[in-house]
Amino acid sequence: MPTDGDKEQNPFYQRDFISIDQVNGGGEIDYLFPLADELKKLVDGRESVEHLLDQYSVSILFYQSSTRTFSSFLHAAQRLGGYVTAIHGMEEYSSVSKGENLPDTIRSINRTTHADAIVLRHPDDNSGEIAARFSEKPVVSGGSGKKEHPTQALLDLYTIYASLQTMDNLKVAMVGDLLYGRTIKSLAKLLAVVGQHNHLQLVSPEELKAPRDFLAQLDGKISYEELDSLEPVLETADVIYMTRVQKEWFEKQGELDKYERLKASMTLTREMADQMKEDAIIMHPLPRQEELRYGVDENPRAKYFDQMDNGLFVRMALLVAILRENPYALMGLELDKKG
Ligand code: NCD
């Protein structure tokens, strides 16, 4: 059983998780992924995990639409036995529609739900930082503007590792809307600090290229190249990570005509997927539009439905790690001293 000394090794305990920048190296991953593995085993075996967050309160506030992130956080907190307050459609149904600002909303939810943690999805890039500043308790980002989706990056890495059994020497193609998409930004930053000798192939039309200030954060940490066509990566990539062109940001700027022109500029078809390396994988955070054809679903390389299962267990692990000082002891697990 872990000793008292192991408590210090929980890098998530009582900390916000609003940016992948909080992951400094493999240590956090080595701590979290075995917890996710164990939770999956327990849940699949229908063993109770309710004691893990029994008497803890988790509040989930979503200002943007969501299927997977919302439902998996909700189920994660409930399955772990927490008291859950979940509000989807904050902009319409909460006092945000009366002009309430984020600090007041966060302070209110802290008090009304006696929250031990708040999960927030919000359209502003800096919403995670603002919420964390005003919250008395840890804040977890479920997606912040165009900038961060750190729990998606965790579940994406978990899926890569589960599928390929390595986090090293991988060619990862990130395809589509690299300008507005937040999932690829968090995953790229994560791959830059875990694993060795990985290489990013950033594939997009000129108008959807990744922002320069974001690329500057990768410089010196991971090698990357920018391409404007999918064809050259089909036979070399270990991972093809497709993303949708983010209609809502074009809409905001009155550029729907541009969206229409770009929405199918990068498309993965059944035939293209067949050309990929035998053991390569295809990922997508979903929802999809035209960039990922339904015919690809039958390809054994398609892992986007597995990403969802993994999201539940990674989010369960993260909530337990943030709220319980020594989850390994609570779950009767040994910390692996190798890493
Ligand atoms: C993504 C998001 O919200 O950023 N969805 C998700 O969480 N799985 C991707 C997207 O909306 O395109």
Side-chain angles (χ1 to χ4, degrees), residues 65 68-69 121 142 149 152 182-183 244 246 248 285-287:
S65 47
R68 284 147 290 274
T69 310
R121 168 171 286 199
H149 199 343
Q152 178 77 39
R182 55 192 172 198
T183 60
R244 103 190 136 91
Q246 309 268 305
E248 56 274 35
L286 299 188

Side-chain angles (χ1 to χ4, degrees), residues 15-26:
R15 294 188 62 192
D16 302 309
F17 192 68
I18 54 175
S19 167
I20 217 67
D21 296 340
Q22 290 172 235
V23 178
N24 297 314

